[in-house]
Amino acid sequence: MKKLKIDLPKISKKRIALRVTAAAERAIRSGHPWIFENAIVHQSHQGKSGDLAVIFDKKRHFLAIGLYDPDSMIRVRIIHALKPATVDKHFFAEKLNTAHQRRAPLRDSAHTNGYRILHGENDGMPGLVIDRYAETLVIKLYTAAWFPHLQDIVDATEKDFSAKRIVLRLSDRVKENPHKLYDGMLLFGEKPESPIIFKENGLNFEVDPLRGQKTGFFLDQRENRARVEKLAKGKRVLNAFSYTGGFSVYAARGGAKEVVSLDASKVATEVAKRNFGLNQPASIAESCIHESVTGDAFDAMSKMKKEGRLFDMVIIDPPSFAHKKSQRDGAINAYKKLTRIGLGILAPNGILVQASCSSRVDSDLFFNAINIATQQVGRRLKEIERSSHALDHPIDFHEGEYLKCLFATVP
Ligand code: SAH
């Protein structure tokens, strides 16, 4: 057992009993994982973060059990519904095991050892994500309600995967806490002496799980990167919002003759260069020219247009533009703007690859926005594919759907 050397907060032995509105009851029965503060109609007593809350239906029968979070509008995150359950370390181990089974093709792959093992609400563990990078595990928490259960989660990881080190990442909301838990903390194992390298579809990537964005890499784009590889032969490719060059390296293996990685983060564009080095000459043609550009993607692409620079494939994968509903219209406008700018530097019959990771902008709105913007610049799309989530990022409830990507030829 990997005993953590930190005093984790303890939960109260007394469970909180709750009753909720009829609408919330229906939502729970249909598998929704959240109970909002304003859906609670009766509560036995005030609880602490991470306490177990039991929800009873109007006939006072058991409905669900979840983690209580007094500091969030999402007051309870449901971890089990419809039948009573004992929530202990075995319970969490079982959840993790089920999640890992779901990823069997990745877990057993000889070519990929970086993937998401557990995807929060979509694997029955709301607010908790576990990613794997070779022998390193990253536990990312989006709510303090998991703090008291952290030892159980670490123990659960041992059942079918023995990691060399476990890193803790905390979302902005829980970074400040009184428990000496911090973002980038090593829960177990030694700090890596050299960068961590993992494999994705046979390609090597450097990742910094302690300080990198999210948990260090955008594992959710693995299959879209493979799609890019298949389309890249002989092409000049621009990878805008490239982060550490994931799409770029795949394009190069696919036979692209030139790839530009463009990102606002200097750290990311430096790593993109190193990621090319990690794969040459084994899988990438040495004839592929790679250029890493640090800068604002909107400005840099507009500048390229002024210079008359053209690409045969433009990949646009920006960060989420809408974190709340009120930001939706602004996000749609930003997507349209990116389509227009991207098409300004896309050669005739070039390929546009545009992705969105904003769950607030659903796929219809997003694909529609790209279509409208394309018409605005007097071009049209011949769609190749619309893609969604990969196996290790399952969608188990409506709000869990966030990633969509369009592949289209633009005559
Ligand atoms: N396509 C990447 C993931 C992109 S995540 C991959 O496959 O790994 C979004 C990226 O956009 C981040 O790397 C972030 O640094 C970058 N970014 C955010 N705002 C930006 C801007 N205005 N211009 C350029 N890059 C930006």
Side-chain angles (χ1 to χ4, degrees):
M1 203 175 86
K2 291 164 175 157
K3 184 87 187 78
L4 303 181
K5 296 187 198 84
I6 348 153
D7 285 330
L8 294 170
K10 297 216 173 357
I11 59 166
S12 152
K13 287 207 170 69
K14 203 168 148 208
R15 294 173 165 203
I16 304 162
L18 291 180
R19 270 188 290 123
V20 296
T21 59
E25 249 191 70
R26 278 196 300 278
I28 295 168
R29 282 189 207 287
S30 66
H32 201 280
W34 297 334
I35 298 176
F36 287 94
E37 169 192 16
N38 58 9
I40 296 173
V41 294
H42 176 79
Q43 181 170 336
S44 59
H45 60 277
Q46 287 302 318
K48 290 188 304 212
S49 187
D51 278 358
L52 295 176
V54 182
I55 300 99
F56 294 94
D57 68 12
K58 57 178 179 301
K59 291 185 185 152
R60 298 177 189 259
H61 293 148
F62 174 93
L63 190 58
I65 189 159
L67 302 185
Y68 187 74
D69 186 350
D71 306 314
S72 168
M73 297 266 284
I74 304 176
R75 194 50 47 91
V76 179
R77 289 177 173 81
I78 292 173
I79 51 175
H80 191 82
L82 307 180
K83 271 192 250 148
T86 307
V87 177
D88 56 12
K89 61 168 59 189
H90 306 292
F91 173 90
F92 292 125
E94 196 48 44
K95 287 266 188 188
L96 200 62
N97 190 260
T98 306
H100 215 178
Q101 289 288 351
R102 226 173 161 180
R103 279 107 176 133
L106 291 164
R107 184 196 58 192
D108 304 336
S109 165
H111 312 288
T112 299
N113 60 12
Y115 55 90
R116 179 150 295 181
I117 294 181
L118 188 117
H119 187 43
E121 2 296 86
N122 305 286
D123 281 301
M125 300 275 262
L128 172 86
V129 155
I130 304 180
D131 285 347
R132 174 184 170 193
Y133 298 104
E135 294 170 303
T136 299
L137 286 188
V138 186
I139 296 179
K140 177 141 186 182
L141 303 183
Y142 291 85
T143 160
W146 282 108
F147 290 170
H149 306 281
L150 207 47
Q151 179 71 59
D152 284 350
I153 300 302
V154 167
D155 291 345
T157 63
E158 291 217 306
K159 203 168 165 228
D160 71 341
F161 183 79
S162 190
K164 206 159 138 189
R165 71 177 65 74
I166 302 179
V167 178
L168 178 71
R169 298 298 303 263
L170 300 175
S171 76
D172 287 343
R173 277 196 50 231
V174 295
K175 265 184 190 156
E176 301 234 334
N177 65 75
H179 309 295
K180 300 205 175 103
L181 293 166
Y182 58 88
D183 186 46
M185 172 176 190
L186 267 178
L187 291 175
F188 165 80
E190 304 288 315
K191 263 201 176 144
E193 277 163 22
S194 47
I196 291 173
I197 314 286
F198 74 97
K199 268 192 192 310
E200 194 185 83
N201 287 321
L203 290 165
N204 298 316
F205 289 101
E206 173 184 324
V207 61
D208 181 354
L210 281 81
R211 284 167 296 258
Q213 295 188 33
K214 302 277 177 187
T215 64
F217 202 73
F218 291 86
L219 294 167
D220 52 359
Q221 290 286 22
R222 181 183 56 254
E223 288 176 15
N224 287 331
R225 289 193 269 268
R227 290 181 175 98
V228 158
E229 175 178 0
K230 287 200 185 114
L231 296 166
K233 196 160 183 61
K235 297 207 164 54
R236 296 163 293 178
V237 178
L238 172 68
N239 179 10
F241 304 94
S242 62
Y243 190 48
T244 52
F247 280 104
S248 307
V249 176
Y250 275 76
R253 185 169 68 176
K257 63 179 183 207
E258 181 189 325
V259 181
V260 178
S261 302
L262 165 62
D263 198 280
S265 154
K266 176 92 180 139
V267 175
T269 49
E270 286 300 316
V271 178
K273 282 186 208 161
R274 293 205 287 276
N275 279 335
F276 263 76
L278 283 176
N279 292 284
Q280 259 167 346
S283 40
I284 294 179
E286 282 189 68
S287 54
C288 175
I289 301 162
H290 179 235
E291 190 188 335
S292 252
V293 179
T294 307
D296 175 77
F298 291 87
D299 293 347
M301 288 200 284
S302 304
K303 189 161 162 260
M304 287 170 178
K305 182 175 158 109
K306 281 200 196 105
E307 293 164 358
R309 196 158 176 191
L310 284 180
F311 295 89
D312 309 300
M313 184 190 281
V314 172
I315 303 161
I316 303 172
D317 179 27
S320 175
F321 291 138
H323 301 286
K324 13 182 211 209
K325 213 170 166 180
S326 58
Q327 295 169 332
R328 181 188 288 159
D329 290 347
I332 292 173
N333 285 334
Y335 290 131
K336 287 185 186 159
K337 187 169 178 188
L338 283 172
T339 305
R340 289 193 298 267
I341 304 179
L343 293 181
I345 47 174
L346 187 69
N349 291 316
I351 294 176
L352 174 71
V353 179
Q354 191 169 348
S356 157
C357 60
S358 310
S359 61
R360 296 284 180 185
V361 177
D362 68 23
S363 44
D364 283 348
L365 283 173
F366 178 63
F367 294 129
N368 200 27
I370 300 178
N371 269 290
I372 293 172
T374 305
Q375 284 163 22
Q376 284 169 345
V377 295
R379 292 176 81 174
R380 69 192 170 90
L381 297 173
K382 281 166 71 176
E383 291 195 14
I384 301 169
E385 189 173 357
R386 295 178 175 202
S387 71
S388 175
H389 284 222
L391 169 82
D392 54 336
H393 290 71
I395 308 166
D396 269 20
F397 75 123
H398 177 67
E399 293 89 331
E401 182 173 4
Y402 68 94
L403 188 65
K404 48 264 169 205
C405 186
L406 179 78
F407 295 77
T409 304
V410 190

